[in-house]
Amino acid sequence: MQNTALIKKYSELICRVLDGEEILISTEFDLSDKGTYTGGFFAVSKDKICVIENGSIILVENIKSLDKVFCQEYNGSGILEADALSGRKLLARFSMEYIEEFNIVADVINDIIAGDFISVNETAFENEKVCPHCGKPAAPPPPPKGLR
């Protein structure tokens, strides 16, 4: 899940903060920590979280300092929080439009924390054969006659 248009827009800021690390997952968000509407961008590398709001970096967090990240749903909005060595931290606030994206972000960060994250190349399934009618993966060809 990458927002390539926003990555390009904020590439200079992101590269400076993430020291050239690959962005593993990113999304936009639309609420400030005070609950007002804003333009925001959230990016995660294997070591850091970078939060940009209205073109300025508002948070850089080292993932190693976090114990667990979780997404909480409220009436009409949600938040991404982390239990850290220094206490609970608010990482992002967003409207319900982004709840699914931030649930995935939380899962990815927790996998990184646990050492279980496996990077999947988004083009890995590019050449996979699919059914032209329904789009599901096509059944593999039958084995040769001698192996049936």
Side-chain angles (χ1 to χ4, degrees), residues 32-48:
S32 72
D33 60 346
K34 294 173 180 49
T36 58
Y37 283 102
T38 188
F41 181 68
F42 192 96
V44 178
S45 72
K46 67 181 177 85
D47 293 323
K48 295 179 185 171

Side-chain angles (χ1 to χ4, degrees), residues 19-101:
D19 300 323
E21 289 181 35
E22 176 189 3
I23 295 174
L24 302 175
I25 190 165
S26 64
T27 188
E28 57 188 310
F29 63 93
D30 58 355
L31 294 176
S32 72
D33 60 346
K34 294 173 180 49
T36 58
Y37 283 102
T38 188
F41 181 68
F42 192 96
V44 178
S45 72
K46 67 181 177 85
D47 293 323
K48 295 179 185 171
I49 296 169
C50 176
V51 183
I52 298 172
E53 191 176 292
N54 292 328
S56 299
I57 298 168
I58 62 163
L59 176 71
V60 177
E61 189 67 43
N62 189 327
I63 292 177
K64 291 177 184 167
S65 71
L66 306 176
D67 293 325
K68 182 175 177 153
V69 175
F70 48 94
C71 196
Q72 293 196 64
E73 189 175 321
Y74 294 107
N75 190 14
S77 68
I79 59 171
L80 186 70
E81 284 188 310
D83 285 334
L85 301 174
S86 59
R88 188 159 286 177
K89 289 188 169 208
L90 175 67
L91 301 176
R93 184 180 301 270
F94 44 87
S95 67
M96 291 306 290
E97 177 181 349
Y98 299 101
I99 192 80
E100 286 183 41
E101 285 93 342

